[in-house]
């Protein structure tokens, strides 16, 4: 995600010297080491194994379309040929997190920004900022789906509007609870499509199988009002009935009246169930309670 407060590295105020004015850089694929390619292969192998029966159909199709089973860190030049053909999207490399307006402008123009670095071996399970495995394996398969591709481009345009309205905090929650941590109801059962889940070994299982989190039917207003945590597994997941329905309530909806309506309403605390929620699973919250320390909440 963007605007995460306590990141230590790969964060810049302006494009670093080696970057273009739009913050993009050359992926410089040739300079990845053998060890770095192998890190990708290790991460890929264990995620791939858990995907059947867990990942959304669109995500599984995306893995095939993009030929992500090919060993090693994907070369964006190759990846983009297929992705462009599928949905007009491309992946561009950036040195780290980019400012919100830059991020939204890229999305609106069907460019998904990806970190070009890969995590270290001792960070296989957790790192604070998105690396190429999260960005490419987590996000790009869904971008090969025309509906999700349209959603993300519209989100970019919506982000630029939200900056003008001063409602970025609300809109960012939509990104968090769909693009990063979304669940979808499929005929065979609940599936994961959020990049933060599909790129995480532990959360892929936790999000679907654990008794701890709430699983609630997606409702736009509700989601825009709901806080989220950025430091551990989610305490709430929101479930969309289909990608078509997601598009109907986002891309085809003017958010201005919604922002106006919720302006005077309180934010909803993490894990709280409110009147009107269609609760699929009422979580025990046992996992969150078992962890010491305060959640980092946005
Ligand atoms: N339709 C939203 C608006 O009017 C923008 C948006 C589209 C947001 C798709 C998210 C996803 O601002
Ligand atoms: Fe992400």
């Amino acid at each position: 995600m963007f605007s995460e407060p306590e990141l230590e590295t790969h964060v810049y105020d302006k494009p670093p010297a080696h970057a273009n004015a739009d913050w993009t850089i050359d992926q410089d694929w040739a300079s990845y080491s053998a060890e770095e390619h192998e890190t990708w292969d290790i991460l890929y192998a264990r995620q791939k194994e858990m995907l059947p029966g867990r990942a959304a159909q669109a995500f599984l199709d995306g893995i095939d379309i993009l030929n992500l089973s090919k060993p090693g860190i994907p070369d964006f030049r190759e990846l983009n040929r297929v992705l462009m053909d599928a949905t007009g999207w491309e992946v561009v490399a950036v040195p780290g997190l980019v400012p919100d307006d830059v991020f939204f402008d890229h999305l609106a123009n069907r460019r998904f920004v990806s970190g070009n670095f890969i995590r270290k071996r001792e960070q296989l399970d957790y790192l604070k900022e998105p690396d190429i495995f999260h960005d490419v394996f987590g996000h790009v398969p869904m971008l090969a789906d025309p509906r999700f591709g349209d959603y993300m481009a519209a989100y970019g345009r919506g982000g630029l509007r939200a900056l003008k309205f001063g409602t970025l905090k609300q809109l960012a929650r939509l990104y968090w609870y769909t693009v990063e941590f979304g669940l979808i109801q499929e005929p065979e059962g609940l599936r994961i499509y959020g990049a933060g889940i599909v790129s995480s070994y532990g959360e892929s299982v936790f999000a679907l199988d654990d008794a701890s989190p709430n699983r609630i039917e997606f409702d736009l207003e509700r989601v825009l009002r709901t806080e989220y945590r950025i430091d551990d597994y989610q305490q709430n997941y929101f479930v969309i009935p289909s990608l078509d329905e997601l598009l109907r309530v986002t891309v085809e909806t003017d958010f201005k009246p919604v922002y106006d309506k919720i302006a005077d309403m309180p934010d909803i605390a993490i894990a709280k169930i409110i009147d009107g929620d269609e609760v699929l699973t009422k979580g025990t919250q046992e996992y969150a309670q078992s962890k010491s320390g305060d959640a980092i909440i946005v």
Side-chain angles (χ1 to χ4, degrees):
M1 257 296 273
F2 40 91
S3 334
E4 296 184 2
E6 81 308 354
L7 304 168
E8 294 130 13
T9 53
H10 300 104
V11 177
Y12 307 90
D13 299 331
K14 55 180 170 49
H18 61 294
N20 301 309
D22 69 355
W23 289 73
T24 59
I25 55 174
D26 183 13
Q27 183 195 12
D28 196 13
W29 186 81
S31 70
Y32 293 117
S33 68
E35 185 180 342
E36 287 174 321
H37 283 299
E38 203 194 343
T39 301
W40 173 283
D41 292 342
I42 293 167
L43 291 164
Y44 180 83
R46 63 178 198 176
Q47 288 315 98
K48 177 76 194 198
E49 201 196 328
M50 69 74 202
L51 293 179
R54 292 189 179 280
Q57 193 56 50
F59 185 90
L60 297 171
D61 292 345
I63 296 265
D64 286 343
I65 293 168
L66 301 170
N67 195 23
L68 285 180
S69 58
K70 185 177 171 187
I73 297 172
D75 183 335
F76 291 174
R77 291 165 297 193
E78 251 173 60
L79 188 65
N80 283 338
R81 275 197 287 275
V82 206
L83 182 57
M84 273 275 195
D85 267 359
T87 56
W89 274 84
E90 65 184 310
V91 182
V92 293
V94 288
L97 293 179
V98 302
D100 295 325
D101 60 327
V102 175
F103 178 75
F104 293 137
D105 188 69
H106 279 303
L107 287 186
N109 290 289
R110 293 188 181 249
R111 290 186 298 266
F112 189 77
V113 300
S114 167
N116 74 336
F117 64 95
I118 192 156
R119 66 195 72 183
K120 304 264 177 296
R121 273 309 158 81
E122 58 278 13
Q123 300 172 307
L124 285 187
D125 289 307
Y126 185 74
L127 79 169
K128 275 189 174 171
E129 54 186 330
D131 71 339
I132 193 169
F133 186 76
H134 168 82
D135 284 335
V136 172
F137 180 86
H139 285 282
V140 180
M142 290 300 288
L143 292 174
D145 182 285
R147 294 160 301 178
F148 202 80
D150 287 352
Y151 176 68
M152 286 287 272
Y155 187 92
R157 297 191 296 274
L160 295 170
R161 289 185 84 205
L163 283 176
K164 275 191 263 163
F165 299 147
T167 52
L168 186 55
K169 185 169 152 199
Q170 286 70 30
L171 185 68
R173 292 167 174 163
L174 175 65
Y175 192 95
W176 192 260
Y177 283 119
T178 58
V179 178
E180 294 292 353
F181 291 97
L183 301 184
I184 184 168
Q185 190 71 63
E186 292 198 341
E188 300 77 22
L190 273 192
R191 296 289 185 266
I192 58 184
Y193 71 91
I197 311 177
V198 295
S199 64
S200 156
Y201 188 62
E203 196 151 4
S204 310
V205 175
F206 179 87
L208 290 176
D209 295 350
D210 205 277
S212 193
N214 297 322
R215 299 178 185 86
I216 306 170
E217 273 185 30
F218 181 90
D219 176 83
L220 180 65
E221 243 176 70
R222 204 299 184 191
V223 167
L224 295 180
R225 292 175 54 209
T226 306
E227 294 174 340
Y228 59 87
R229 66 182 299 161
I230 61 170
D231 59 332
D232 206 332
Y233 297 159
Q234 299 303 300
Q235 291 177 246
N236 280 319
Y237 297 96
F238 290 95
V239 181
I240 57 168
S242 65
L243 289 174
D244 288 326
E245 183 59 14
L246 178 65
L247 264 58
R248 196 181 66 73
V249 300
T250 55
V251 179
E252 296 168 26
T253 300
D254 180 1
F255 281 21
K256 183 66 170 79
V258 186
Y259 293 140
D260 289 344
K261 177 174 174 199
I262 64 176
D264 301 326
M265 296 166 84
D267 288 345
I268 301 169
I270 284 188
K272 187 171 177 211
I273 303 282
I274 61 161
D275 281 353
D277 277 348
E278 294 286 345
V279 179
L280 302 172
T281 317
K282 167 99 175 70
T284 61
Q285 299 300 337
E286 207 175 312
Y287 173 80
Q289 283 156 14
S290 74
K291 302 292 274 287
S292 54
D294 291 328
I296 302 176
I297 290 171
V298 179

